[in-house]
Every structure is written in structure tokens, then in C-alpha cells.
Amino acid sequence: MNMYRLAARNVCPSVRVTTRSVARIPHLAVRVAPRPQLHLCRANGTNTGAEEAPKLKAQEANQQQQDQQQQEQQQQQQQDNDGYFKFLGLRISKDDLLTITLALAISYGIRWFIAEPRFIPSLSMYPTFDVGDRLIAEKLTYRFSRPPAPGDVVIFHPVEGVGSKDLFGDNVFIKRVVAVEGDTVEVHDGTLFVNGQPRSEPFIYQKPAYTLGKLVVPPGDVFCLGDNRNNSYDSHVWGPLPRENILGRAVFKYWPVTKIGPLPDYTSTAAAPAAAPAAAPELAAQQ
């Protein structure tokens, strides 16, 4: 019996010995039957199913991990795309867009309703302004305080047909108000007369060399002249200016740095003849 057991131990593990048949075999033969649950025998150099299972599980785990990582990357990319959009080839976040929009809104709000900077392109307002000077024009006084008054320096859109618009459609002049609605204006003998009285004008560059016949400023209009009277394209050429065309009142010069400061207030100038200014060289005609 021990010999049978020894013989059974030497049999491949993929078979089993049935001891019932041992007694019937005269030559010590044994009857074997295959084990259905095991597929391969170690004797032929291959792994059993029990050893393959951990590898298959490991591969499945690795595949699941890769799928999960890929899914997380796709979700992260989707979140990134949700927070950005492309404009002119640039990726802009929603926060940046909000910041830019608010900055532009505040900037244009200030420019349209409170104040705006302006650049002087000509000598029509010399010596108050030279070419290249920069100023601030405020817009609150004429909205909430008072209408334009003689002596104010104003920026405005000229009447239809005067001047030419630039690339951005911006056609803005700067002149000084010398008379308002109902005033009678005339120029002769080198002096401006308002309501028959000579106007004292310490800010002009030269006495006007032209003559302007008597006219009455219509309701809702003002009469504007440049401080460089003989080289200014102003109301003595194209007539009174509608008050609604006025954009603001020049109040402060911020460039060049040597001229920084508020503009002098000439609204209370006395109605007296202007002192004759010193002779000055002729300047080229400027707008």
C-alpha cells in the first residue's frame, strides 16, 4: 500500500489516483483521471491557472488605473477650457476678461462724463497753449453748475462742415468763449467789443487785424475766438457755436512739466480796453 502511495506522489499533480482500482490491477497499475479545475501541468514547463490569475488581476488593475488617470486628465482639461476662451490666438481667462472690461468701463465712464485729456495740435490758442501741450477738460460744471461764460476755454465739436474728422472720427476744437446768447459782438480797430463795450483780453497774442461786423449771438449759442486772434479758425469765420457742441471746460495743463498747473480764470475780466501787447513776429496760420 505504501508503494502505491509513493507511486501516486510521483504522478503529475494534474491527475488523481483512485485507490479503489489498485487492488484490481495485478501489475501495480493505477487508474488516473484529469483534474478539470487545473489546465496545465508544471512538468511541461508552463504555469498553472493559479499562477496566471494574479498577473491577470494586476493587468486589469493597471488598465483601470490608466483609464482613471485618462478620465481625470480629460475632466481637468474640460475645466481649464471652461475657464478660458481664445481671442486672436490668445487664451484669456474669464477673470482677466472681467478685469479688462471693468477697467475699460471705468476709463470710458470717466472720459465721457467727468473729464478727458486733450492734446494741442496747433498755435490757434497761443500763448495760452503751445503745440504739444496737454490739458484736462472737465465736464461737470456745464452739466450741474452753470452754462459757459465769457473767458472759459472750451473744447467742442465744430459746426457742420467745419474741420475734418481724423481716423477715429474725432473732430475737436479748442477756443475761448468771448460772448454768450443775446450778446452783440463786433471787432474793429484791433479790439473786441461785446454789447458795445471793449473787452479787456490780457491772454491774446496780438490785436485782431480783421474787422467783424456787428452780430447778435443766437439763443443757445456762444461765440468763440482763439487767443492767437490772427491765426485762428474760429467764430469770426464760421459763426456762433451751438452750446450743445461743447464737450467740456479746460481747467488744467499737465504737460510739459514746466507748465503744470490750473489755467487762469478770466471769467471776471473787466470790460475795459485791452493794453496794447508788445510787437511779435507773425505766426503761420493755424487752426
Side-chain angles (χ1 to χ4, degrees), residues 18 32 37 43 70 80 96 102 129 222 274-276:
T18 56
V32 296
Q37 68 274 20
Q70 185 177 4
D80 293 342
D96 291 341
L102 288 176
F129 292 108
V222 296

Side-chain angles (χ1 to χ4, degrees), residues 5 78 80 144 149 193 274:
R5 291 179 179 177
Q78 183 65 32
D80 293 342
F144 305 107
F193 291 83

Side-chain angles (χ1 to χ4, degrees), residues 22-41:
V22 172
R24 301 176 185 179
I25 301 174
H27 301 292
L28 300 179
V30 295
R31 181 179 295 179
V32 296
R35 292 183 180 181
Q37 68 274 20
L38 298 178
H39 302 289
L40 299 175
C41 180

Side-chain angles (χ1 to χ4, degrees), residues 90-152:
L90 301 175
R91 293 180 74 248
I92 302 177
S93 69
K94 292 182 179 180
D95 292 338
D96 291 341
L97 178 62
L98 179 60
T99 301
I100 294 172
T101 302
L102 288 176
L104 290 176
I106 293 173
S107 175
Y108 277 97
I110 293 174
R111 184 181 179 92
W112 283 30
F113 299 104
I114 300 177
E116 68 173 278
R118 280 291 168 179
F119 169 81
I120 302 299
S122 73
L123 289 170
S124 66
M125 284 296 291
Y126 187 83
T128 304
F129 292 108
D130 204 345
V131 175
D133 287 356
R134 297 179 182 271
L135 60 95
I136 297 294
E138 62 88 15
K139 302 184 177 184
L140 299 178
T141 297
Y142 297 156
R143 283 196 178 112
F144 305 107
S145 180
R146 62 172 177 84
D152 286 343

